[in-house]
Amino acid sequence: MDKPYTGGCACGAIRYSIASEPLFSNHCQCRDCQRESGGGHGSYATFARDGVTVTGEARRWDMVADSGNVKTRASCAVCGLPVYMTFAAMPEIFTIRAASLDEPARYKPQVVTYAARGHDWDRLDPDLPKFEGMPPG
C-alpha cells in the first residue's frame, strides 16, 4: 500500500490512520445505519485492527445487531460526528464511516447489505451485489 487511509471527525478532535487496505466495503441499509446517517444507508470500510491508530476522545454507545452481537458506535465527543464502529464478536476488525476519510474518493463499495430494508428513494449503484442481510461467510 502506498499511503495509509486517514480521516476523522468534522472538527478534528478524533483522527485515525490505517496502514492496510480495506477487507470489506459496503453500503448498509439496515434501520440502525439509516437512523445514524440520517439517510437511506450508511457507507463503511472495514479494516484489520492491526495497524489502526486512533487519537482523540470518542463517545461510544453499544447496540445489539440483528445477529445478536454487540456493535459499538463511536462519535466525536465535541462535534458529534459518527466516525467508527467496533464489534464485540470480532475484535480484530475496525470499521470507519466512508465520509470520515480525508480522501473519500478512495472508498470503493463492494456490496449493499440489508437491501431488504432499503427505500425506493435511496437509489444505490444497481451494479453492486445486494444482500437481504449480511453476505454469507
Side-chain angles (χ1 to χ4, degrees), residues 46-112:
T46 298
F47 298 84
R49 183 73 174 109
D50 289 342
V52 174
T53 303
V54 178
T55 59
E57 182 182 344
R59 185 179 65 226
R60 294 175 176 85
W61 74 98
D62 292 339
M63 49 185 10
V64 178
D66 285 354
S67 65
N69 294 322
V70 174
K71 58 184 170 183
T72 301
R73 294 184 183 260
S75 61
C76 177
V78 178
C79 69
L81 184 84
V83 180
Y84 63 90
M85 287 189 297
T86 57
F87 303 86
M90 297 176 284
E92 70 280 2
I93 65 169
F94 185 83
T95 299
I96 56 105
R97 304 272 316 209
S100 72
L101 286 163
D102 290 337
E103 298 177 67
R106 292 181 76 186
Y107 172 70
K108 306 290 186 226
Q110 298 167 305
V111 300
V112 176

